[in-house]
Amino acid sequence: MYRASRLRLPKAVYYQCTWIVKDIDRLYRLDAMRRHVPKDDELVFSDDEDLASMSDEVMEEASRKLACIKEALKAIPEEYRMLTVECISDANMPAGIAHENTWKKWRRTFIKELACKLNLI
């Protein structure tokens, strides 16, 4: 059985997971576009024309990655979840809320869980 706490991730897997989290805003937009079914008489304008031309497979993959992120976040206490994602996506640690070691611990736990959910390990 998988034990995230005992596994050391390869650097390539760590960086894949980190970049998926850094891409979370685009993943949310693609997922929203996939879930939205326009009506026949509805005009749809997109802020980002590059996203509008994405294939269904790309949008499905974005939804899958978002689901994996949400599942991996369940391994972290609720009060640290969103700040952990922000910590990874913005590449800075929140000050004053918790000690730096706490953020490192939850970030490491989250990345390992995400790698597992994405079937990278």
Side-chain angles (χ1 to χ4, degrees), residues 20-77:
I20 287 170
V21 175
K22 288 179 181 285
D23 195 30
I24 197 166
D25 291 334
R26 187 183 71 92
L27 295 176
Y28 271 117
R29 288 193 307 270
L30 284 170
D31 183 52
M33 289 174 62
R34 183 188 66 81
R35 288 185 286 117
H36 178 74
V37 179
K39 299 177 179 118
D40 291 336
D41 61 342
E42 182 180 15
L43 291 175
V44 178
F45 296 97
S46 176
D47 291 340
D48 191 346
E49 293 298 323
D50 293 335
L51 292 180
S53 63
M54 293 288 175
S55 69
D56 289 338
E57 293 83 18
V58 172
M59 291 186 191
E60 288 291 328
E61 183 66 13
S63 296
R64 186 184 77 79
K65 288 177 181 177
L66 274 177
C68 291
I69 289 171
K70 290 175 184 177
E71 283 296 312
L73 281 172
K74 291 179 182 178
I76 298 174

Side-chain angles (χ1 to χ4, degrees), residues 2-10 13-15 17-18 21 72-73 75-77 80-81 83-85 87-88 93 99-116 121:
Y2 169 73
R3 295 280 306 169
S5 61
R6 296 183 186 259
L7 182 66
R8 183 168 173 91
L9 287 179
V13 172
Y14 171 82
Y15 287 120
C17 292
T18 300
V21 175
L73 281 172
I76 298 174
Y80 296 111
R81 288 178 186 170
L83 288 173
T84 300
V85 171
C87 176
I88 294 169
M93 293 192 195
H99 190 272
E100 181 180 337
N101 291 342
T102 303
W103 291 115
K104 288 178 181 179
K105 172 187 173 184
W106 293 126
R107 187 174 62 194
R108 184 174 52 246
T109 302
F110 170 66
I111 292 294
K112 287 180 180 180
E113 287 294 323
L114 181 58
C116 178
I121 53 174

